[in-house]
């Protein structure tokens, strides 16, 4: 009896998670578009790290290095309102020995993260060259983007929708059929996943413009790139006659 109940539960679970299939002829098409655009905003992420035998001394050094960083921003005409600070992390550094714990305290490491947003990219090269030379500054990452994301997004979605319909018509004609109407549209590419979650309602998160994967977390470059790549894709489901 237990075996029967377990088997029934498994079948019911599979039925719930399975993707529904339309009871009419249909075709699913996916179109992608990538475009090179000129960046006008850069987000810079970095941290300041200090290490001292005394916890108090480590905090004093962090304050000193942070003040030098703020002076650099002021020197280049960057308002402090463009800078965001994250919480301060403090770690105790101890001597190490296999099989032994709570050994002698060697010192204290204190770190604070910062996020800087620049809209005047002319200031980027000189400011970054100065920041990278400051004591304690480390892990600098630069992420270039465009403030015209919404504008590009609307244009790309319009163009992709037209391409998707054209491809659907070609596929239908090749099978001696014709497109009756669009059943659903999404930005998901995978067939099963697309059909499981597609919606006829506009979802801003689904239509977000992803930047190139290698544009974030890259090694610091002291020059502004000529362009960045933005991309968009849509998957459309069409009912056929």
């Amino acid at each position: 009896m237990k075996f029967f109940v377990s088997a029934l539960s498994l079948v019911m679970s599979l039925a719930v998670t399975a993707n529904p299939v339309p009871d009419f002829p249909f075709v699913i098409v996916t179109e992608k578009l990538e475009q090179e655009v000129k960046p006008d905003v850069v987000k810079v992420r970095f941290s300041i790290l200090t290490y001292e035998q005394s916890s108090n001394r480590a905090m004093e050094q962090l304050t000193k290095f942070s003040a030098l960083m703020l002076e650099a921003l002021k020197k280049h005409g960057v308002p402090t309102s463009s800078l965001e600070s994250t919480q301060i992390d403090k770690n105790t550094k101890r001597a190490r020995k296999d099989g032994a714990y709570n050994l002698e305290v060697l010192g204290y490491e204190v770190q604070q993260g910062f996020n800087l947003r620049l809209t005047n990219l002319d200031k980027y090269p000189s400011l970054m060259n100065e920041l990278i030379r400051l004591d304690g500054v480390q892990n600098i990452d630069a992420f270039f983007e465009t403030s015209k994301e919404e504008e590009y997004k609307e244009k790309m979605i319009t163009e992709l929708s037209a391409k998707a319909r054209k491809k659907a018509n070609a596929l239908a004609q090749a099978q001696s059929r014709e497109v009756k109407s669009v059943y659903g549209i999404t930005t998901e590419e995978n067939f099963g996943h697309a059909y499981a979650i597609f919606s006829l309602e506009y979802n801003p998160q689904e239509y977000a413009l992803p930047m190139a994967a290698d544009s974030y977390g890259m090694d610091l470059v002291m020059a502004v790139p000529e362009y960045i790549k933005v991309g968009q894709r849509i998957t459309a489901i069409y009912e056929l006659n």
Side-chain angles (χ1 to χ4, degrees), residues 1-6:
M1 184 64 177
K2 288 184 177 179
F3 175 77
F4 175 76
V5 173
S6 299

Side-chain angles (χ1 to χ4, degrees), residues 7-27:
L8 181 60
S9 298
L10 179 59
V11 172
M12 292 179 64
S13 177
L14 291 175
V16 171
T17 58
N19 292 324
V21 177
D23 57 359
F24 52 78
F26 66 94
V27 62

Side-chain angles (χ1 to χ4, degrees), residues 16 54 65 77 86 108 166 205 215 230 235:
V16 171
S54 163
F65 293 159
T86 59
Y108 298 89
K166 184 177 180 180
Q205 292 182 344
S215 64
V230 294
T235 297

Side-chain angles (χ1 to χ4, degrees), residues 11-222:
V11 172
M12 292 179 64
S13 177
L14 291 175
V16 171
T17 58
N19 292 324
V21 177
D23 57 359
F24 52 78
F26 66 94
V27 62
I28 294 183
V29 296
T30 296
E31 282 289 336
K32 298 179 181 179
L33 185 62
E34 194 172 66
Q35 185 175 354
E36 295 178 355
V37 301
K38 186 176 181 61
D40 57 10
V41 176
V42 61
K43 293 179 179 178
V44 182
R45 181 177 62 185
F46 64 94
S47 61
I48 295 180
L49 177 71
T50 64
Y51 174 81
E52 294 288 342
Q53 290 184 327
S54 163
S55 174
N56 187 54
R57 178 61 180 161
M59 290 300 301
E60 289 178 352
Q61 283 291 89
L62 180 65
T63 301
K64 175 183 176 181
F65 293 159
S66 297
L68 292 175
M69 179 268 296
L70 292 174
E71 287 181 11
L73 296 185
K74 183 178 180 181
K75 174 182 175 182
H76 291 272
V78 178
T80 55
S81 59
S82 301
L83 184 71
E84 294 181 352
S85 173
T86 59
Q87 67 181 28
I88 297 177
D89 294 322
K90 176 184 173 184
N91 296 308
T92 302
K93 297 298 181 180
R94 295 180 179 271
R96 293 184 177 183
K97 185 178 180 181
D98 292 342
Y101 300 91
N102 296 324
L103 298 179
E104 175 189 3
V105 174
L106 301 178
Y108 298 89
E109 183 181 88
V110 181
Q111 181 173 255
Q112 185 172 14
F114 296 90
N115 295 310
L116 176 66
R117 186 176 188 272
L118 287 177
T119 54
N120 185 348
L121 297 189
D122 291 337
K123 298 179 179 180
Y124 174 79
S126 58
L127 176 59
M128 290 301 102
N129 273 291
E130 184 162 346
L131 278 182
I132 197 66
R133 288 168 171 75
L134 292 178
D135 289 341
V137 174
Q138 63 167 15
N139 298 329
I140 298 183
D141 285 325
F143 177 39
F144 293 91
E145 59 183 28
T146 173
S147 62
K148 298 179 180 179
E149 180 178 326
E150 293 299 320
E151 179 181 333
Y152 289 120
K153 177 173 61 179
E154 293 176 2
K155 291 181 179 179
M156 295 174 86
I157 289 176
T158 299
E159 183 176 346
L160 286 172
S161 296
K163 286 186 175 182
R165 182 56 184 255
K166 184 177 180 180
K167 180 185 287 187
N169 287 334
L171 290 171
Q173 290 174 10
Q175 302 300 320
S176 300
R177 290 182 175 273
E178 62 180 15
V179 172
K180 179 179 179 181
S181 62
V182 61
Y183 185 66
I185 191 167
T186 181
T187 54
E188 294 299 326
E189 182 178 12
N190 178 270
F191 177 95
H193 190 45
Y195 193 80
I197 70 165
F198 82 89
S199 172
L200 296 179
E201 296 181 0
Y202 174 74
N203 185 337
Q205 292 182 344
E206 289 183 357
Y207 288 96
L209 285 171
M211 298 298 179
D214 59 353
S215 64
Y216 194 74
M218 61 183 179
D219 293 334
L220 177 66
V221 177
M222 300 300 183

